[in-house]
Amino acid sequence: MDTPLPLNDLPALERQIARELDILAYPTPDWVAPVTAPDGTVALDCAVIGAGQYGLTIAAGLRRERVARIGVFDGADAGREGPWMTFARMAMLRTPKTLTGPDLGLPSLSFRAWWEAQHGPDGWEAMFRIPRTAWMEYLNWYRRALDLPVRNGWRLVSLEPTADDQLLRLGFETQEGPRFLFARTCVLATGAVGSGVFSIPEPIVRALPSDRLHHANDPFDPAILAGKRVGILGAGASAFDIATSALRAGALSADLCFRRDVLPTTNPRRWMENAGYLAHYVDLPDARKWATMHRLLTIGQGPPKPTFDAAAATPGFSMHAGTPWETVRWTGSDIEVTGGGRTFHFDSVVVATGMRVDLRQRPEMAAVADQAALWSDRYVPATGEENDALGRFPYLDRLGAFRERAAGSAPWLSRVLTVTRGATLSLGPVAASNSGMKYIAPRLIEGVKRRLFLDQERQTWDDLLHRDHAELPAEAMP
Ligand SMILES: Cc1cc2nc3c(=O)[nH]c(=O)nc-3n(C[C@H](O)[C@H](O)[C@H](O)COP(=O)(O)OP(=O)(O)OC[C@H]3O[C@@H](n4cnc5c(N)ncnc54)[C@H](O)[C@@H]3O)c2cc1C
């Protein structure tokens, strides 16, 4: 932006976006041929599932690439997509404030432009990291400013090919009852849990009354922990966040326990945020991708410094390394936990051990899970790098599409793309986070376009041969 906009002038910013979109509109002709579905409707060119940051960005990018018939569907209510207003509890994003991605190269669509339009350049300088709720407000604005076709309250529950493999039949749960749609391609941008589950170790589930046990990624109000001694299992950022928010909400104590002897203090993911790594991890050989993810899982990921500092500075917080929960028992009045030679008594516990990639846990992925190749189908790890958890990750192509387990068995899988946690082994360790959006979202957009273009390659060839391509009038010829 050359001329600073007046403060609190989002309409001016929106006018600027419209102008920049117009300047960059080339090439403008529509090119995707309509396809009629078995029910007589025109199939969507692309159904984007998930209206979080990735779903919105991919929808915006497809539209700029003249893929017109798109729909974005999210099971959550408007304004509550993604983790930001539900179970994320940190004050600010963990990623650097300079991150880009949703803008797809348009400065006026960036978080910074949106922030500066309201708070000025000084407000930008004064900010350390992006406030969590401001990120959600930005995404809400982005959706509105671009008028993206989002339907909230639509939860995808089934996805299967039509008999000729040319379309996908999508089943949704909505407040009005079940709904079905046909689409030529589908992008699953369903977030952290989109390719698996937030799991709690089974012995803990069996041992405790359900109202005394929470997962850190359940959207509960920390106020329910007021007056309680809270035990937390996990060493990652969410474990520290719940400790801080529980104590601030009035918990008596928060004891954070983890298995490792020391808290992980290094985080190579920050170093990976460079234009080489983010763009070209996908080009590494399988052995290097596997070794990279194996290494990251082995060294773990502790909390960012502000998250650690916030917990450590909150009265009532204690941290216990080398303390796996060996036994968990409901005494009848409280919870007894033993581990690392110690015994604790808690009133409630929160498990913050992350999520497990496992497509079979997701109803909407059932047909995909039956046919899609996983890493365990395609790669044998070196001795010492065996890892069942990584073996369950889908083996995606470089544009994020699923691949068949057996050649020729399920060509329709090339119509289904994903950018969930399960995509990270194929596309990059930070592919499903803010940090990777700048490079990964365009890849998914290309993946959708590739499928649509190849679908109509016969028609395109006929057009080349038989359309009227006259440039000069015939009479101009000597
Ligand atoms: C607590 C927490 C904090 C995080 N903090 C950061 C951070 O600071 N920086 C960072 O880079 N990353 C962070 N992450 C990672 C974060 O998940 C991603 O950066 C971001 O949310 C990914 O965006 P997304 O669009 O892929 O998914 P999401 O934002 O999770 O959006 C996915 C959407 O899909 C919808 N959905 C899921 N299943 C269905 C279905 N079957 N049908 C219809 N809709 C469905 C959901 O309702 C949701 O709105 C954090 C994650 C968590 C859990």
Side-chain angles (χ1 to χ4, degrees):
M1 283 180 292
D2 297 325
T3 318
L5 294 165
L7 291 189
N8 288 317
D9 199 352
L10 287 176
L13 182 62
E14 287 160 24
R15 285 193 295 278
Q16 191 155 317
I17 289 165
R19 175 171 156 71
E20 289 177 8
L21 283 172
D22 188 45
I23 290 172
L24 294 181
Y26 175 86
T28 52
D30 286 338
W31 61 275
V32 184
V35 170
T36 305
D39 64 356
T41 59
V42 175
L44 289 174
D45 298 332
C46 185
V48 180
I49 312 300
Q53 58 192 32
Y54 259 109
L56 296 179
T57 304
I58 289 167
L62 286 172
R63 187 183 270 174
R64 279 179 67 182
E65 294 294 302
R66 304 286 158 190
V67 176
R69 288 171 290 269
I70 47 177
V72 187
F73 304 90
D74 199 303
D77 291 339
R80 293 181 66 77
E81 301 89 351
W84 315 114
M85 304 307 285
T86 50
F87 56 86
R89 298 182 173 92
M90 67 281 186
M92 52 193 147
L93 296 199
R94 313 195 208 287
T95 14
K97 70 175 181 180
T98 47
L99 69 93
T100 56
D103 48 277
L104 292 166
L106 218 64
S108 302
L109 262 180
S110 64
F111 178 86
R112 177 172 175 175
W114 174 81
W115 185 264
E116 288 189 351
Q118 299 166 95
H119 307 282
D122 292 345
W124 173 255
E125 289 306 321
M127 182 208 295
F128 169 52
R129 283 191 182 163
I130 296 175
R132 169 176 54 82
T133 53
W135 183 248
M136 187 75 228
E137 286 170 36
Y138 163 68
L139 294 176
N140 292 339
W141 168 79
Y142 179 94
R143 164 182 171 172
R144 184 178 56 72
L146 294 179
D147 192 23
L148 295 173
V150 182
R151 282 191 224 173
N152 286 96
W154 281 55
R155 174 160 300 283
L156 182 74
V157 290
S158 66
L159 184 168
E160 52 200 13
T162 51
D164 61 1
D165 269 353
Q166 296 301 300
L167 293 175
L168 302 167
R169 183 172 186 266
L170 308 178
F172 294 89
E173 268 173 19
T174 77
Q175 281 178 350
E176 291 77 41
R179 291 285 183 276
F180 292 91
L181 284 176
F182 291 90
R184 295 174 63 188
T185 60
C186 179
V187 175
L188 295 155
T190 42
V193 79
S195 46
V197 279
F198 295 127
S199 59
I200 301 180
E202 197 51 40
I204 302 182
V205 176
R206 277 200 305 273
L208 300 184
S210 59
D211 62 336
R212 303 294 181 122
L213 172 62
H214 309 279
H215 193 287
N217 291 349
D218 291 339
F220 65 89
D221 182 348
I224 64 173
L225 301 172
K228 304 236 164 83
R229 299 163 296 167
V230 182
I232 299 164
L233 182 63
S238 292
F240 284 80
D241 284 336
I242 190 62
T244 305
S245 47
L247 291 167
R248 287 181 182 163
L252 294 179
S253 57
D255 286 84
L256 185 148
C257 307
F258 51 89
R259 176 177 43 82
R260 295 170 188 272
D261 291 334
V262 287
L263 189 67
T265 52
T266 58
N267 185 10
R269 288 172 176 81
R270 284 285 93 84
W271 159 82
M272 286 170 178
E273 287 162 354
N274 66 69
Y277 211 103
L278 292 173
H280 296 295
Y281 167 94
V282 75
D283 298 313
L284 291 172
D286 284 356
R288 185 67 74 204
K289 288 182 179 175
W290 183 279
T292 301
M293 288 292 280
H294 182 69
R295 165 102 184 129
L296 291 175
L297 293 185
T298 306
I299 64 177
Q301 186 178 14
K305 189 168 183 308
T307 307
F308 176 84
D309 289 346
T314 310
F317 175 77
S318 314
M319 187 176 89
H320 311 281
T323 313
W325 286 3
E326 288 150 6
T327 67
V328 176
R329 191 172 72 86
W330 174 244
T331 64
S333 56
D334 71 0
I335 300 162
E336 184 187 85
V337 172
T338 63
R342 307 188 52 172
T343 302
F344 300 89
H345 284 268
F346 302 126
D347 301 306
S348 282
V349 301
V350 182
V351 173
T353 48
M355 63 92 52
R356 183 156 52 90
V357 171
D358 185 355
L359 300 181
R360 296 193 176 279
Q361 302 289 333
R362 306 283 299 178
E364 73 274 27
M365 302 300 281
V368 172
D370 274 349
Q371 309 260 20
L374 304 180
W375 273 75
S376 57
D377 298 314
R378 296 292 177 93
Y379 181 71
V380 179
T383 305
E385 289 182 354
E386 298 87 352
N387 191 317
D388 290 346
L390 287 179
R392 284 192 294 272
F393 281 53
Y395 189 81
L396 306 173
D397 76 10
R398 69 188 309 282
L399 300 184
F402 286 93
R403 296 201 257 208
E404 307 158 308
R405 192 170 303 139
S409 61
W412 62 275
L413 282 173
S414 66
R415 304 185 178 283
V416 188
L417 300 89
T418 189
V419 61
T420 54
R421 180 70 57 84
T424 52
L425 179 51
S426 299
L427 301 185
V430 293
S433 309
N434 309 43
S435 336
M437 291 186 77
K438 177 177 177 184
Y439 296 93
I440 302 298
R443 225 180 265 286
L444 275 285
I445 294 162
E446 285 308 309
V448 170
K449 284 175 59 193
R450 172 186 61 183
R451 184 64 268 158
L452 296 171
F453 184 74
L454 293 178
D455 275 351
Q456 61 191 53
E457 65 93 14
R458 168 58 69 95
Q459 178 65 47
T460 306
W461 173 242
D462 285 348
D463 286 350
L464 172 64
L465 295 184
H466 304 302
R467 271 201 181 207
D468 179 3
H469 300 291
E471 188 158 45
L472 291 177
E475 57 270 26
M477 291 295 110

